[in-house]
Amino acid sequence: EVQLVESGGGLIQPGGSLRLSCAASGFTVSSNYMSWVRQAPGKGLEWVSVIYSGGSTYYADSVKGRFTISRDNSKNTLYLQMNSLRAEDTAVYYCARANKAVAYAFDIWGQGTMVTVSS
Amino acid sequence: SYVLTQPPSVSVAPGQTARITCGGNNIGSKSVHWYQQKPGQAPVLVVYDDSDRPSGIPERFSGSNSGNTATLTISRVEAGDEADYYCQVWDSSSDHYVFGTGTKVTVL
């Protein structure tokens, strides 16, 4: 079965760091474009970052310089390292696959992991 | 940065047609995708590349895109279609993915 399972969320103080993981099954992370998308409580979807199959990475302006996307090919897992966290980073974080077969739309999503930044 | 604007809400009676717009500068030149999100759930892709449907999505969901507006149309609306809907594009000038502001569809 093709699926994504996120983990690593939790309560963290402002200025702290957290690493999210997204374990994939049924397909190869390194062969796909993989993204993180977040949703603050009661708000809309916000794209956070992407890592392309070739390894290039891009970030939303709101997280650039603080967040790092990466992958471990041996574990077929995507990561999001989040540093210097702020209250406005509080959100459910989803990992998603942008599939070439559907014009690079996000066709597979994880269930999400909640990150709460608060003192 | 590229901006996609959607109406905050759309209300429709069962059996009628709901149309959700997504406005963006020359959006007709981009590939638009649409997602449905129900409370407490992850988004689900319902239309990709302006007007194509993933397998398993009912034919009642259709899309179009021209000029400065893309539209998601839900025909013969059912109670189960009540959800938030988001449009999305890839902005080649910034290599960023962009989501619309979202539209809450209420079935009366």
Side-chain angles (χ1 to χ4, degrees):
Chain A
E1 181 187 5
V2 175
Q3 67 174 357
L4 295 167
V5 178
E6 300 100 334
S7 60
L11 175 63
I12 188 76
Q13 292 189 339
S17 298
L18 207 58
R19 189 179 80 158
L20 306 182
S21 301
C22 170
S25 56
F27 72 97
T28 303
V29 164
S30 61
S31 299
N32 286 271
Y33 296 179
M34 300 296 299
S35 264
W36 289 95
V37 177
R38 69 184 181 183
Q39 187 171 35
K43 303 297 184 182
L45 300 173
E46 179 189 15
W47 173 77
V48 172
S49 181
V50 65
I51 182 167
Y52 291 134
S53 51
S56 299
T57 58
Y58 294 89
Y59 300 90
D61 293 346
S62 58
V63 306
K64 193 171 184 179
R66 300 187 299 123
F67 289 13
T68 302
I69 190 171
S70 64
R71 66 192 182 207
D72 185 329
N73 296 346
S74 66
K75 295 182 179 180
N76 207 30
T77 298
L78 178 73
Y79 300 101
L80 185 68
Q81 177 67 43
M82 303 185 296
N83 299 330
S84 303
L85 283 162
R86 307 166 180 167
E88 54 265 36
D89 296 319
T90 294
V92 174
Y93 284 73
Y94 297 99
C95 59
R97 179 180 77 174
N99 190 348
K100 180 179 180 180
V102 289
Y104 295 107
F106 297 119
D107 68 333
I108 303 295
W109 296 69
Q111 84 286 355
T113 187
M114 183 71 203
V115 173
T116 303
V117 183
S118 175
S119 54
Chain B
S1 60
Y2 195 75
V3 176
L4 294 174
T5 302
Q6 299 179 233
S9 63
V10 167
S11 297
V12 59
Q16 299 303 303
T17 298
R19 293 180 179 85
I20 305 164
T21 58
C22 175
N25 184 36
N26 197 28
I27 194 174
S29 66
K30 300 181 182 299
S31 178
V32 180
H33 315 306
W34 291 91
Y35 303 88
Q36 175 193 70
Q37 186 182 33
K38 297 182 178 180
Q41 298 183 18
V44 173
L45 178 67
V46 293
V47 167
Y48 67 94
D49 201 12
D50 297 341
S51 58
D52 291 328
R53 280 184 312 278
S55 60
I57 301 300
E59 291 184 6
R60 300 185 298 102
F61 289 84
S62 62
S64 62
N65 184 19
S66 179
N68 293 316
T69 305
T71 302
L72 174 69
T73 300
I74 311 173
S75 304
R76 302 180 299 282
V77 167
E78 302 174 355
D81 298 331
E82 191 163 278
D84 294 325
Y85 291 83
Y86 296 89
C87 57
Q88 179 254 313
V89 301
W90 175 67
D91 178 24
S92 59
S93 65
S94 62
D95 235 318
H96 286 188
Y97 293 76
V98 181
F99 285 95
T101 50
T103 299
K104 180 176 181 58
V105 170
T106 299
V107 181
L108 301 171

